[in-house]
Amino acid sequence: MTTAASSSSTSAGFAEAAESTTLAASPRALPLGPLMIDIAGHQLSELDRERLCHPLVGGIILFTRNYRDPEQLRALTAEIHALRQPQLLIAVDHEGGRVQRFRAGFTRLPAMRSLGETYAADSEAGRQLARATGLVLAAELRAHGVDYAFTPVLDLDYGPSRVIGDRAFHRDPAVIVDLVKALGEGLRAGGMGTCGKHYPGHGYVIPDSHVELPVDERPLSEIQEDIKPYRQLVQAGALDGVMAAHVIYRQVDPATAVFSRHWIDYLRQDVGFAGVVFTDDLSMAGAGVVGDMLARVETAYAAGCDMLLVCNSPDAVGDVLARWQPPQDAAYQARSARIERLATAMQHPVGDLLASAAYRAAQALLPAVA
């Protein structure tokens, strides 16, 4: 806990940095903070610029409402990247199937279950299709200035889930791992990393955490099958990020994974993950268990999450930026460094991938399944 004096000093430091950044004529060196926020439209407003330059902000997530056409998206991402140094991490939910935010002007990507079905018939064909999907996904996003996609889904396809469904590759963890390794090869060839979700597993529960709070009653021993893809992909060095779930695993911890120090510590210490841990959107109904947005941000941060997503709630963003005062201690600096490493890696120049023979060959494989 911080003292009143240290809290005041921290708040003043954030305010001073935010003001100087906003007033600067050129991008100012400013560590990336733990919040990922969103905007309302196709271009930045003055309020958007002010908020994106706040020291607590480290990234932005884009939605379908932020996309009109390829030229507009390139202009928007260029303006966002020009605001700060290091550049903000620009992310999007762009998995394929029903979760693809940008469509007109982009290749239609297959749902991940179709990759699993292809794999079941011919494992090499499945891997080839996964690799091609990853390359097309990454190359097209990077060509439009988007750094990172929250993909792949590592949830097991148990069947009845209202929110996962065909977003999952397969029921068998071994098949998921094999396909994700291939997808990741494609993503990396396109200049993009991976983000496994929804840790430790969202596929077993039926409710949709966007509108309800799912509860998984299984003991840890049974959840190990869901954790297996994370464990094996971390050991293979194939995960750059992990997104935690708004699910309560009651026999393990009474808090959802996003708000659970137990689950984040387990990911770090037992699974061995050293990359960036993202929350799922803290505006979702499944996150309401701990209170208002400030309480959600504080609880997720205390649990050990690195980057906290506050989406579709502009008033809540303003309230958090005005009131949250995390201590700028060694833990804060370590989290900022993890976020910066990820952002810098994703923003490394990759050339004109859309003109490459590899991209064209990969794209040619997709229409039949998409």
Side-chain angles (χ1 to χ4, degrees):
M1 178 179 291
T2 57
T3 64
S6 64
S7 294
S8 175
S9 173
T10 300
S11 179
F14 282 152
E16 180 181 353
E19 180 181 5
S20 61
T21 303
T22 303
L23 296 177
S26 58
R28 174 184 170 85
L30 188 68
L32 296 181
L35 293 177
M36 177 171 276
I37 63 175
D38 59 353
I39 60 173
H42 294 152
Q43 57 191 28
L44 298 182
S45 67
E46 197 54 46
L47 179 59
D48 292 332
R49 295 185 189 92
E50 178 183 335
R51 287 180 172 179
L52 290 172
C53 286
H54 194 289
L56 286 176
V57 174
I60 177 172
I61 180 170
L62 300 179
F63 291 91
T64 300
R65 66 173 180 267
N66 305 126
Y67 180 70
R68 182 180 62 238
D69 54 52
E71 183 178 0
Q72 168 268 328
L73 181 58
R74 289 191 191 98
L76 175 62
T77 56
E79 183 177 5
I80 293 168
H81 278 149
L83 290 173
R84 290 171 57 169
Q85 287 294 335
Q87 294 177 346
L88 292 167
L89 179 69
I90 302 177
V92 67
D93 273 324
H94 204 81
E95 304 166 8
R98 57 194 162 96
V99 182
Q100 181 171 338
R101 301 306 186 204
F102 313 140
R103 300 199 178 227
F106 280 74
T107 302
R108 185 68 179 270
L109 301 170
M112 296 301 100
R113 181 185 282 165
S114 68
L115 305 188
E117 291 169 346
T118 301
Y119 185 99
D122 182 337
S123 60
E124 182 50 40
R127 284 189 288 267
Q128 183 180 20
L129 184 58
R131 201 172 294 112
T133 300
L135 175 56
V136 170
L137 186 160
E140 292 185 348
L141 289 179
R142 289 297 311 275
H144 293 81
V146 179
D147 306 314
Y148 195 52
F150 291 124
T151 190
V153 169
L154 302 186
D155 302 314
L156 275 58
D157 188 4
Y158 287 96
S161 171
R162 294 179 192 145
V163 68
I164 302 303
D166 66 359
R167 298 167 66 191
F169 289 89
H170 204 270
R171 172 63 179 81
D172 185 344
V175 174
I176 294 173
V177 169
D178 206 11
L179 285 171
V180 168
K181 285 180 179 178
L183 183 87
E185 290 172 5
L187 288 170
R188 292 181 195 285
M192 188 171 286
T194 53
C195 182
K197 60 184 187 183
H198 306 81
Y199 169 81
H202 203 315
Y204 186 80
V205 292
I206 296 174
D208 180 351
S209 54
H210 291 85
V211 295
E212 303 176 70
L213 177 57
V215 178
D216 190 329
E217 299 287 2
R218 295 175 298 165
L220 180 60
S221 60
E222 293 184 19
I223 301 171
Q224 287 300 325
E225 189 175 26
D226 300 68
I227 298 172
K228 188 176 295 184
Y230 294 92
R231 195 180 301 281
Q232 294 185 2
L233 290 166
V234 166
Q235 290 172 353
L239 281 184
D240 301 282
V242 165
M243 178 176 283
H246 290 310
V247 177
I248 292 176
Y249 306 86
R250 202 194 309 269
Q251 293 198 45
V252 180
D253 192 285
T256 68
V258 163
F259 300 133
S260 168
R261 166 61 72 177
H262 173 89
W263 277 117
I264 305 305
D265 282 351
Y266 190 89
L267 178 65
R268 295 291 192 201
Q269 297 169 16
D270 193 274
V271 178
F273 180 66
V276 175
V277 177
F278 295 86
T279 70
D280 208 339
D281 178 10
L282 293 176
S283 296
M284 290 164 58
V289 64
V290 300
D292 67 7
M293 188 59 71
L294 180 61
R296 301 178 197 189
V297 164
E298 290 177 333
T299 307
Y301 185 81
C305 295
D306 296 311
M307 183 155 262
L308 321 173
L309 276 66
V310 183
C311 315
N312 305 305
S313 187
D315 290 342
V317 170
D319 184 57
V320 170
L321 292 179
R323 296 170 56 204
W324 190 32
Q325 299 176 5
Q328 290 184 297
D329 54 11
Y332 185 94
Q333 303 305 325
R335 296 181 192 195
S336 180
R338 276 196 292 268
I339 295 167
E340 288 183 19
R341 282 195 296 270
L342 178 64
T344 301
M346 298 305 101
Q347 293 159 358
H348 189 273
V350 293
D352 187 6
L353 290 172
L354 301 189
S356 70
Y359 166 77
R360 292 194 297 272
Q363 188 186 40
L365 290 175
L366 302 188
V369 291

